[in-house]
């Protein structure tokens, strides 16, 4: 686990109090007599950088010290990897999905490691990451295992049942500070509506490209354009004509909408991304996401294979548009 240092430039500080107000973890910062922040204890700092990101003059900075806290899992037995046959199946599915849709990014396999489950033999990141940041790295090819101490977003760890939820997040207070919701009542409603896993029911998250995963994923998340999401929907309804009911809000997109809804309801779900996901990663404005329960992948592959024979190329070739247009 990374250790973090908080530096405060008293000369630049405006004494606005925003850093103290925005810090989601109690006991790290408090407001001093002059209105500026007092740094109390950085041991609980997860490196979310919410305080420094909301400082209007960048008078506060949060940096990893480069010193690693002892890994509590270093001597643990690790889980056996996937069988060669299942691994090869995932490799083929990823190739077909990417080829038929023309995806730029690799589908990401997501595992939520249960409290008594052996961890996969995957390295921890050197610095804490938000879950959405880990997802963006995985679509580029990284494999990342994160126990709660490696997550820099306490919202995500509480949603995934790894920790409790800090008071500012439980009440929705921090969402009002971000000006993402009108008042505490609206924020509390949003928090109450979102699904969460039971506290302390999971011990880590695992993400990797589908073709590289070493553990069977509960959910696979695909990053793409709205047009590519359309074909994903059509691939799953190709043989049935079924229409889907999606849950999308713009809040907690990766953890709730892309992972928990597909996991808990056993149905695909779309998400447009959220404030945190888009502010903390390189995801483009034209990109959105779909989470799929893993057992739907054969249906997706079969449906896309059929759609790619005529429907996809005809649509992309604009066959109903006259050449003069």
């Amino acid at each position: 686990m990374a250790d973090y240092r908080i530096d405060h430039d008293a000369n630049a500080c405006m004494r606005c109090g925003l850093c103290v107000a925005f810090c989601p973890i109690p006991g790290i910062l408090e407001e001093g007599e002059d209105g500026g922040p007092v740094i109390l204890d950085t041991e609980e700092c997860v490196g979310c950088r919410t305080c420094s990101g909301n400082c209007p003059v960048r008078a506060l900075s949060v940096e990893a010290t480069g010193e690693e806290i002892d890994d509590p899992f270093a001597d643990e037995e690790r889980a056996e990897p996937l069988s060669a046959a299942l691994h090869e199946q995932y490799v083929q599915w990823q190739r077909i999905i990417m080829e038929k849709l023309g995806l730029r990014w690799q589908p990401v396999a997501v595992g939520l490691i249960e409290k008594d489950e052996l961890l996969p033999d995957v390295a921890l990141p050197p610095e804490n990451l938000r879950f959405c940041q880990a997802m963006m790295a995985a679509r580029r090819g990284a494999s990342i295992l994160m126990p709660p101490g490696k997550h820099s977003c306490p919202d995500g760890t509480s949603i995934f049942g790894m920790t409790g939820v800090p008071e500012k997040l439980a009440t929705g207070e921090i969402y009002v500070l971000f000006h993402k919701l009108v008042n505490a009542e609206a924020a509390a409603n949003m928090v109450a509506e979102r699904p969460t896993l039971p506290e302390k029911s999971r011990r880590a998250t695992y993400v990797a490209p589908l073709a590289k995963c070493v553990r069977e994923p509960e959910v696979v998340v695909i990053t793409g354009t709205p047009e590519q999401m359309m074909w994903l929907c059509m691939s799953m309804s190709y043989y049935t004509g079924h229409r889907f009911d999606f849950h999308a809000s713009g809040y907690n997109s990766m953890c709730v909408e892309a992972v928990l809804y597909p996991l808990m309801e056993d149905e695909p779900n779309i998400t447009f991304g959220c404030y945190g996901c888009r502010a903390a990663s390189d995801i483009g404005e034209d990109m959105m996401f779909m989470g799929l329960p893993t057992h739907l992948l054969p249906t997706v592959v079969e449906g896309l294979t059929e759609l790619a024979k005529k429907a996809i190329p005809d649509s992309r070739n604009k066959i109903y548009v006259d050449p003069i247009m």
Side-chain angles (χ1 to χ4, degrees), residues 219-292:
V219 174
V220 173
V221 178
I222 295 176
T223 305
T225 64
E227 188 255 11
Q228 290 167 331
M229 297 296 114
M230 180 194 78
W231 294 118
L232 277 175
C233 288
M234 291 180 66
S235 73
M236 290 179 284
S237 61
Y238 182 79
Y239 294 99
T240 65
H242 176 63
R243 292 177 179 269
F244 297 97
D245 295 319
F246 295 131
H247 300 269
S249 68
Y251 299 101
N252 311 118
S253 69
M254 284 293 101
C255 42
V256 170
E257 295 178 352
V259 176
L260 275 201
Y261 273 121
L263 173 68
M264 298 175 76
E265 301 198 5
D266 200 32
E267 291 284 349
N269 197 50
I270 60 168
T271 176
F272 308 112
C274 65
Y275 175 101
C277 171
R278 293 189 177 277
S281 77
D282 65 343
I283 189 67
E285 295 176 356
D286 59 339
M287 295 286 108
M288 59 185 296
F289 313 91
M290 181 178 287
L292 305 166

Side-chain angles (χ1 to χ4, degrees), residues 69-125:
I69 301 172
D70 290 340
D71 180 358
F73 311 110
D75 298 324
E76 275 196 22
E77 178 187 358
R78 295 301 177 107
E80 291 292 323
L82 293 176
S83 68
L86 187 54
H87 175 262
E88 182 56 32
Q89 183 73 83
Y90 289 163
V91 170
Q92 291 181 18
W93 285 347
Q94 173 168 309
R95 177 185 57 78
I96 293 171
I97 291 170
M98 293 190 71
E99 177 184 290
K100 304 307 181 186
L101 285 177
L103 289 179
R104 178 181 180 185
W105 306 111
Q106 298 179 78
V108 176
V110 180
L112 301 179
I113 314 300
E114 297 190 19
K115 62 180 181 179
D116 298 322
E117 181 183 345
L118 291 177
L119 297 171
D121 190 12
V122 177
L124 277 59

Side-chain angles (χ1 to χ4, degrees), residues 303-321:
L304 286 177
T305 299
E306 291 302 316
L307 290 167
K309 293 177 180 178
K310 179 173 173 58
I312 293 176
D314 279 1
S315 175
R316 290 176 175 175
N317 286 333
K318 310 293 184 187
I319 63 168
Y320 298 125
V321 177

